[in-house]
Amino acid sequence: MFFAECGSRFMQKIESVSQVTSNIKNYFANIPTLHTKRLILRKMEMRDAEDVYEYSSDNRVPEYLLWRPHTSLEESRRYVHLVKKYYAKKEFFDWALEHQESGRMIGTCGFARIDETNLCAELGYVLNHDYWGQGLAVEAAREVLRIGFEVLSFHRIEARYMVENTASARVLEKLGFTFEGVHRKAIYVKGEFRDIGYYALLKEDYKQIKKDG
């Protein structure tokens, strides 16, 4: 009886995880347009290639990220084309950030990784250097967190950053994330091992932040 009950619960868990996975992937296959005070979060389009090249070719933008600066507009066009293919395959979880006032696509924000089994996701964001220091990363990420917790029912959203990237750490702290420590020399990138800091926000943390206003 015990083993039969365990087996039943196991199958229910598999079905539940399968349903969550399907819901998440279907959501991003038809990624909705979202609005904040200054931004439009939308699907990336081929028309964004020049704007992508503008910020992706700036050495300051990917300094603490895993990818290297784009070296040509054609490279940015190939990237956007690849993103569109990943959208179609339900394997890309980022929004393009359009600045409402200028109409420019100034970066991306979304989930770099999703662990459906444990209802966990990793927050990621990139922003054109011209728009740093204006609170736009926090504004975009706050809306993405709302979707993650309230629509997709994640239990935990975490974020990683190279410890030298103190600006990124400040963004996470403004969002209410809790610092969980540093993994020393955890990632080999651009020719060296880097220390990686970890922050996380739990669903109960998010609810409390909303309650506190």
Side-chain angles (χ1 to χ4, degrees):
M1 181 66 180
F2 172 76
F3 292 106
E5 184 178 347
C6 288
S8 175
R9 289 179 180 176
F10 179 69
M11 290 305 298
Q12 288 174 1
K13 181 179 180 181
I14 290 177
E15 291 172 1
S16 176
V17 168
S18 177
Q19 183 61 51
V20 168
T21 301
S22 177
N23 289 343
I24 292 171
K25 291 192 173 182
N26 287 337
Y27 182 89
F28 285 100
N30 301 283
I31 190 168
T33 297
L34 310 172
H35 293 82
T36 66
K37 183 177 180 180
R38 295 174 291 174
L39 298 169
I40 300 171
L41 285 70
R42 58 167 174 78
K43 191 173 186 177
M44 195 181 299
E45 301 290 354
M46 286 306 303
R47 61 187 167 91
D48 297 318
E50 290 188 10
D51 288 336
V52 170
Y53 177 63
E54 181 178 329
Y55 69 77
S56 296
S57 60
D58 185 337
N59 291 333
R60 297 168 295 183
V61 171
E63 180 179 5
Y64 299 118
L65 301 176
L66 299 180
W67 49 275
R68 296 183 181 275
H70 290 191
T71 58
S72 68
L73 176 57
E74 182 56 34
E75 182 178 359
S76 295
R77 285 180 176 141
R78 289 197 300 269
Y79 166 73
V80 176
H81 181 69
L82 186 62
V83 165
K84 289 178 67 63
K85 290 179 65 175
Y86 280 133
Y87 273 135
K89 293 167 63 177
K90 307 178 184 180
E91 295 177 355
F92 192 74
F93 315 113
D94 274 0
W95 283 266
L97 304 180
E98 180 179 321
H99 189 251
Q100 291 193 40
E101 184 176 342
S102 67
R104 299 166 71 189
M105 188 275 207
I106 62 170
T108 62
C109 186
F111 301 112
R113 176 181 57 84
I114 290 177
D115 176 356
E116 298 97 341
T117 302
N118 296 298
L119 295 180
C120 178
E122 180 181 346
L123 178 70
Y125 42 83
V126 178
L127 201 62
N128 185 312
H129 190 272
D130 291 346
Y131 295 86
W132 288 12
Q134 300 177 32
L136 290 167
V138 172
E139 184 174 324
R142 189 169 283 136
E143 181 65 5
V144 169
L145 292 175
R146 182 185 70 81
I147 296 298
F149 287 122
E150 297 184 19
V151 178
L152 301 176
S153 299
F154 289 134
H155 163 70
R156 169 186 168 95
I157 296 177
E158 56 192 29
R160 298 181 295 170
Y161 72 106
M162 294 183 193
V163 295
E164 297 86 355
N165 192 357
T166 55
S168 188
R170 286 196 297 272
V171 167
L172 297 170
E173 288 167 0
K174 288 177 181 177
L175 291 166
F177 278 64
T178 297
F179 179 67
E180 294 188 334
V182 173
H183 290 196
R184 297 177 300 155
K185 310 298 182 185
I187 293 180
Y188 186 77
V189 58
K190 298 173 185 175
E192 61 180 309
F193 288 99
R194 308 296 291 266
D195 293 342
I196 304 300
Y198 281 75
Y199 277 84
L201 187 69
L202 302 181
K203 192 167 191 175
E204 53 260 41
D205 303 331
Y206 172 79
K207 289 181 177 179
Q208 188 62 50
I209 289 170
K210 283 200 67 177
K211 182 178 178 181
D212 293 342

